[in-house]
Amino acid sequence: MLARILSAALVGVEAALVRVEVDVTPGLPAFTTVGLPDSAVRESRERVRTAIRNAGFPFPADRITVNLAPADLRKAGASFDLPLAVGLTCRRQGIGTLVVPVANHTEARAVDGLRVLAAPTLRDAVSLLNGDTAQAAPPAPDPPASPSTSTDDLDFADVRGQTYAKRALEIAAGGAHNLLLVGPPGGGKTMLARRLAGILPPLTRDEVIEASTIWSVAGLLPRHGELMSRRPFRAPHHTISVSGLIGGGTPPHPGEVTLAHLGVLFLDELPEFQQHVLESLRQPLEDGRVTIARASGVSDFPARFQLVAAANPCRRGCASLDHCICTPAERARYLGRLSRPLLDRIDLHVELPALAPADFRPAVAGDATETIRLRVGAARQRQRERFRGTGIRVNAAMSPRQVRRFCAVPAEAERLLAAAMTGLGLSARGHDRVLKVARTIADLVGAETLAAEHCAEAIQYRGLDRQWRA
Ligand SMILES: Nc1ncnc2c1ncn2[C@@H]1O[C@H](COP(=O)(O)OP(=O)(O)O)[C@@H](O)[C@H]1O
Ligand SMILES: [Mg+2]
């Protein structure tokens, strides 16, 4: 007797269908699992035997062979209860009904167009598979959606002065651009970076599923099945390893760059990170993905995050350039730990001045988070409309071809850009990034075509390129 049941294994953060074929034939009692199962799956024999008996079914005293197909896919134990990833796969492959444990019901139901039945017990699962849906557990009520701005009492209005940096953060949020803040300690770099989350638009419905799938695989979703409702904000410490940041291990686990997918990766004290750790950021920053090769196969993780980094101008953290006791060589060496290719991938460089007493006059308080978030939201809406059907959502994600198509500039701006390429030693990549930022600056004021002034402002944020010419 042969029974076939569809399940799924995990490849990266995607589910691959696995056919579980159980063959029961007369002969000496035996229980064999074939098809590259890992030890956890092999050890499932005792669990299966006990569960079947406890559910009140007889356990056959025959030859049992379990084949997990396709055979070349490694099947790890824990991945067999990842309902969201499995659910997505089912929908794509035209499977209509999914049976999951009760605890995973809410999460799996987030996938539209799929019938999800929850089985409280093995007995109920057997009834469901036999077509008796009366056994299905009633669906739990939808979890309350948490509003996207509730956490933070971190408001932009609390940040004094630093209007230039605030403007850069608004642009960064407006088009999901990477940003580096350089300035003396105590000037508000960390304070500003932590306020970025509050001005980002909420995740769209599709993005909720995309981000939640990753967090589900990493085991980080809250247990009661609540989905991600806000953009992730990850701030790993500078002692993090390459595998912690990028992902790794066997089987490969997602790293911080993947947990930050669709959100923010904040690297505070950037020059303090180990150099090879920083260099490992280059692939995800360029491709929006991470590829991890292992003997067992290649895992591909999504990693389209927005990088926000902060740095003191020198190792000692002197109060300001005027009061800096470090030698010019020491200063150059410190920021020099940030390689040219890494800086090239950071669209906005901002140098913050030390705070001045005048910044603390009440009259100079800037816009509140709520006000900025509305402007950012409107700019993002323009991008969604522009990019409909292109597979991207934000200016930062434009390919070189899309830059040619969506960022045509007037002759006057061409000249400005040409001068910047020579003067700042901008690479072709840097040139494209300037255009993307200019596109966001135009979107923030609702301008349809790029003007020279938008390009001029975008060029201002390439300050560190000049230093690296030296
Ligand atoms: N621009 C600012 N406006 C108001 N308070 C500030 C500002 N900059 C710094 N502070 C105060 O100093 C503290 C340290 O600032 P922080 O953001 O950690 O500086 P940095 O990261 O640049 O070293 C903040 O928690 C805040 O209390
Ligand atoms: Mg700081």
Side-chain angles (χ1 to χ4, degrees):
M1 184 193 78
L2 180 72
R4 266 203 206 97
I5 295 182
L6 281 175
S7 186
L10 197 63
V11 180
V13 292
E14 306 239 339
L17 284 187
V18 173
R19 285 192 315 281
V20 183
E21 300 172 339
V22 183
D23 192 30
V24 182
T25 51
L28 280 181
F31 192 158
T32 333
T33 325
V34 297
L36 214 65
D38 84 348
S39 57
V41 177
R42 276 198 303 272
E43 282 155 16
S44 67
R45 272 171 291 191
E46 276 319 303
R47 286 203 306 272
V48 169
R49 202 191 303 270
T50 314
I52 288 179
R53 289 215 177 106
N54 287 343
F57 295 110
F59 192 85
D62 291 308
R63 279 185 81 80
I64 302 167
T65 311
V66 178
N67 180 28
L68 304 175
D72 58 355
L73 184 72
R74 180 160 289 281
K75 293 98 184 170
S79 66
F80 285 86
D81 46 54
L82 285 157
L84 191 55
V86 174
L88 282 169
T89 303
C90 292
R91 181 176 61 168
R92 236 181 280 134
Q93 307 206 8
I95 294 164
T97 307
L98 175 68
V99 178
V100 297
V102 170
N104 300 124
H105 200 187
T106 312
E107 191 184 321
R109 275 196 312 135
V111 179
D112 292 328
L114 181 72
R115 186 154 163 256
V116 180
L117 303 173
T121 65
L122 182 59
R123 222 183 155 72
D124 298 315
V126 171
S127 304
L128 291 175
L129 291 172
N130 285 332
D132 181 5
T133 52
Q135 296 299 318
D142 273 325
S146 36
S148 72
T149 47
S150 68
T151 37
D152 323 343
D153 18 334
L154 301 178
D155 201 292
F156 266 91
D158 303 334
V159 185
R160 298 286 169 174
Q162 308 299 13
T163 42
Y164 181 64
K166 286 185 194 167
R167 167 74 179 157
L169 273 156
E170 179 169 341
I171 297 168
H177 302 287
N178 301 327
L179 168 80
L180 170 63
L181 303 167
V182 181
K189 299 183 297 295
T190 303
M191 199 181 175
L192 280 161
R194 293 210 169 268
R195 278 159 179 72
L196 177 63
I199 59 172
L200 292 174
L203 293 165
T204 65
R205 176 92 190 146
D206 283 350
E207 288 175 332
V208 166
I209 303 281
E210 226 176 295
S212 300
T213 303
I214 292 169
W215 282 55
S216 170
V217 166
L220 291 175
L221 277 186
R223 208 154 298 179
H224 45 282
E226 202 177 296
L227 299 178
M228 309 267 303
S229 59
R230 53 184 55 237
R231 288 184 191 274
F233 186 96
R234 304 293 297 181
H237 190 254
H238 60 70
T239 51
I240 195 168
S241 66
V242 169
S243 91
L245 188 62
I246 300 299
T250 326
H253 60 81
E256 288 292 334
V257 295
T258 295
L259 296 175
H261 181 61
L262 301 175
V264 176
L265 179 71
F266 174 39
L267 302 184
D268 208 354
E269 314 290 355
L270 191 66
E272 301 291 337
F273 285 71
Q274 292 182 68
Q275 220 144 358
H276 69 285
V277 172
L278 291 181
E279 293 311 305
S280 71
L281 280 171
R282 279 156 64 170
Q283 189 212 357
L285 279 175
E286 199 61 22
D287 307 336
R289 328 193 52 81
V290 170
T291 316
I292 298 166
R294 286 287 176 278
S296 55
V298 173
S299 295
D300 200 31
F301 291 111
R304 189 162 293 293
F305 58 90
Q306 180 178 1
L307 174 68
V308 175
N312 291 331
C314 62
R315 186 175 55 80
R316 291 189 184 86
C318 301
S320 72
L321 204 53
D322 293 340
H323 297 96
C324 188
I325 56 165
C326 306
T327 65
E330 280 175 330
R331 276 203 302 275
R333 205 175 318 126
Y334 189 64
L335 284 188
R337 305 174 77 180
L338 312 177
S339 73
R340 184 75 204 236
L342 178 64
L343 278 180
D344 222 22
R345 289 163 171 82
I346 300 183
D347 316 78
L348 301 149
H349 311 162
V350 177
E351 290 182 75
L352 291 84
L355 280 182
D359 291 327
F360 284 88
R361 282 202 300 265
V364 292
D367 285 338
T369 287
E370 183 63 27
T371 312
I372 306 174
R373 194 161 55 87
L374 290 175
R375 290 197 294 259
V376 167
R380 289 277 187 119
Q381 180 57 32
R382 285 182 195 105
Q383 292 164 59
R384 270 200 296 283
E385 282 158 23
R386 174 182 317 124
F387 297 136
R388 189 156 290 146
T390 64
I392 63 165
R393 304 172 179 119
V394 289
N395 288 335
M398 278 189 275
S399 69
R401 277 188 61 181
Q402 286 166 328
V403 171
R404 304 285 93 74
R405 175 163 164 218
F406 295 114
C407 304
V409 293
E412 187 193 356
E414 274 308 351
R415 280 193 294 278
L416 266 178
L417 283 163
M421 280 195 78
T422 328
L424 301 175
L426 270 192
S427 67
R429 183 189 291 118
H431 175 267
D432 273 10
R433 285 186 180 265
V434 167
L435 283 175
K436 293 180 198 181
V437 170
R439 187 59 262 170
T440 299
I441 291 170
D443 285 336
L444 280 167
V445 290
E448 210 49 60
T449 48
L450 278 190
E453 67 189 273
H454 307 135
C455 296
E457 187 179 355
I459 290 168
Q460 278 181 48
Y461 296 109
R462 302 299 309 201
L464 289 178
D465 290 301
R466 193 174 305 123
Q467 299 190 8
W468 261 253
R469 289 275 284 167

